[in-house]
């Protein structure tokens, strides 16, 4: 429980970590039990969204992959996947990651390679898709920039996921700008290539609900049978990559369902953000709008 409490305190802090957060075997097990289900759920949401837009990588390189949350999510989301490499500095995390995939029936996940590597001197593990999830907060600003530059050299599509907090969003905004400055094309969640239109004080983030097992509830000291993981993300493809499907407006909040209408806050393909209302008169679009949720594209 002490290792879990230390992890909780760490994830509530906004400062860059001065030492590896996952160092001992106990901390790694606490991470896998306490955080990995939620980071995995966020990644399923993000990679599932990209798969629906036509992304179909054959190889994935996950930097700072820890116990392998992104490896599991990629195996679930991408049918044509052939190889997964997880890179991390912490041998214990990689060891547990290997144990977790050892008995799975998915041959690609079971064959995932977990390799020890330090950000700043990563091996040349080239992948169609490079993922960096919940890592940037452990790095200083200059290290974050050079990691993103390194990731752009390793793959043709880069996905970065951070906690859905104002400071997580600020890190995502910096990555977003770096990608645009390098001529990369944003493929999610933004439906445009312009500056983020959200007003100061607001932050772009999404949420995914995950079931908590009895064990998970005990570890977290919570009563609820579920938890909502909030996350911010950005994905982009290199200038030489084939285009994915064009994006429609992205729903930024829980929709408000009223009698005969649904009201949304959205980010639009023209680079603006604001309110959209779909009324019953829209027929099938209204029926689709009733089912649409925060994070989806506007029907
Ligand atoms: C919060 S964990 C996230 C793990 C995983 N990506 C996930 O989403 O569950 C951050 C990971 O980044 C790794 N990391 C941090 N700094 C690193 C560095 N300089 N080199 C390699 N890995 C690093 C840590 O070891 C840790 O496994």
């Amino acid at each position: 429980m002490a290792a879990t409490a230390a992890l909780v305190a760490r994830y509530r802090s906004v400062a860059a970590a001065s030492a590896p957060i996952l160092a001992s075997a106990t901390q790694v097990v606490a991470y896998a039990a306490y955080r990995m289900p939620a980071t995995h759920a966020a990644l399923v949401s993000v990679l599932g969204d990209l798969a629906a837009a036509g992304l179909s990588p054959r190889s994935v390189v996950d930097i700072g992959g820890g116990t392998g949350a992104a490896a599991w999510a990629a195996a679930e989301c991408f049918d044509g996947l052939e190889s997964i490499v997880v890179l991390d500095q912490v041998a214990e995390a990689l060891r547990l990651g290997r144990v977790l995939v050892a008995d799975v029936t998915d041959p690609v996940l079971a064959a995932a390679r977990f390799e020890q590597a330090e950000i700043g001197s990563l091996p040349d593990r080239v992948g169609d898709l490079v993922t960096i999830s919940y890592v940037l907060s452990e790095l200083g600003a200059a290290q974050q920039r050079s990691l993103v530059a390194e990731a752009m050299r390793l793959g043709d599509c880069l996905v970065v996921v951070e906690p859905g907090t104002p400071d997580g969003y600020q890190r995502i905004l910096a990555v977003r700008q770096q990608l645009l400055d390098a001529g990369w094309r944003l493929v999610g969640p933004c439906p445009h290539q312009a500056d983020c239109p959200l007003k100061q004080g607001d932050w772009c983030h999404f949420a995914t609900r995950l079931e908590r097992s009895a064990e998970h509830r005990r570890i977290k000291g919570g009563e609820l049978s579920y938890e909502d993981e909030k996350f911010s993300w950005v994905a982009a493809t290199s200038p030489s990559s084939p285009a994915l499907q064009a994006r429609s407006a992205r729903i930024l909040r829980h929709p408000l369902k009223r009698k005969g209408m649904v009201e949304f806050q959205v980010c639009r393909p023209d680079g603006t953000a604001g309110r959209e209302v779909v009324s019953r008169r829209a027929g099938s679009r209204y029926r689709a709008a009733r089912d649409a949720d925060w994070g989806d594209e506007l029907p």
Side-chain angles (χ1 to χ4, degrees):
M1 274 299 186
T4 310
L7 270 180
V8 174
R10 170 61 200 118
Y11 285 106
R12 288 186 179 150
S13 151
V14 295
S18 54
I21 291 163
L22 303 184
S24 69
T26 313
Q27 285 166 331
V28 166
V29 171
Y31 183 85
Y34 169 72
R35 280 299 295 155
M36 189 181 167
T39 61
H40 166 260
L43 281 154
V44 168
S45 182
V46 167
L47 301 185
D49 182 277
L50 293 168
L55 186 72
S56 179
R58 280 180 303 164
S59 50
V60 172
V61 175
D62 182 32
I63 305 177
T67 47
W72 284 78
E76 274 169 74
C77 294
F78 299 123
D79 288 339
L81 200 59
E82 292 170 6
S83 74
I84 303 171
V85 177
V86 179
L87 303 174
D88 202 282
Q89 65 184 351
V90 177
E92 286 295 347
L94 298 164
R95 197 167 302 139
L96 180 56
R98 268 183 224 112
V99 169
L100 292 176
V101 301
D103 293 327
V104 297
T105 50
D106 180 330
V108 178
L109 183 59
R113 294 204 307 278
F114 288 78
E115 298 181 1
Q116 195 162 14
E118 186 76 38
I119 290 167
S121 55
L122 293 174
D124 267 351
R125 294 282 175 272
V126 180
D128 294 339
L129 169 65
V130 176
T131 52
I132 302 173
S133 77
Y134 295 83
V135 176
L136 298 185
S137 68
E138 302 196 8
L139 309 174
Q143 240 189 329
Q144 292 175 28
R145 262 193 86 73
S146 53
L147 169 57
V148 171
E150 205 169 357
M152 282 192 276
R153 277 195 302 279
L154 295 179
D156 274 327
C157 179
L158 175 60
V159 172
V160 183
V161 183
E162 281 288 294
T165 55
D167 60 294
Y169 166 64
Q170 287 305 322
R171 289 189 289 274
I172 290 292
L173 267 189
V175 174
R176 183 184 190 277
Q177 194 57 52
Q178 191 176 347
L179 291 163
L180 286 173
D181 290 347
W184 282 46
R185 183 171 181 78
L186 304 177
V187 293
C190 322
H192 59 82
Q193 310 297 311
D195 288 344
C196 177
L198 290 195
K199 295 197 177 61
Q200 240 186 342
D202 199 358
W203 69 99
C204 180
H205 66 292
F206 304 95
T208 184
R209 179 158 291 184
L210 62 143
E211 303 296 318
R212 285 173 166 172
S213 63
E215 179 65 6
H216 199 183
R217 279 208 296 278
R218 194 184 63 75
I219 291 166
K220 289 216 159 180
E223 295 293 312
L224 290 176
S225 61
Y226 63 86
E227 68 183 62
D228 290 324
E229 172 66 11
K230 300 211 169 99
F231 58 94
S232 291
W233 65 285
V234 68
T237 53
S238 71
S240 58
S241 306
L244 299 187
Q245 279 166 31
R247 295 305 201 141
S248 332
R250 179 75 64 172
I251 301 169
L252 299 177
R253 295 275 178 278
H254 282 303
L256 293 175
K257 289 179 189 164
R258 305 186 199 286
K259 203 166 186 297
M261 59 178 254
V262 190
E263 184 181 326
F264 298 95
Q265 287 298 321
V266 298
C267 185
R268 304 186 184 92
D270 67 3
T272 63
R275 180 172 171 269
E276 292 283 339
V277 174
V278 181
S279 76
R280 184 172 283 144
R281 271 173 305 182
S284 61
R285 187 164 171 253
Y286 170 70
R287 284 189 292 282
R290 302 274 313 170
D291 291 335
D293 207 350
W294 180 14
D296 292 344
E297 290 180 87
L298 188 66

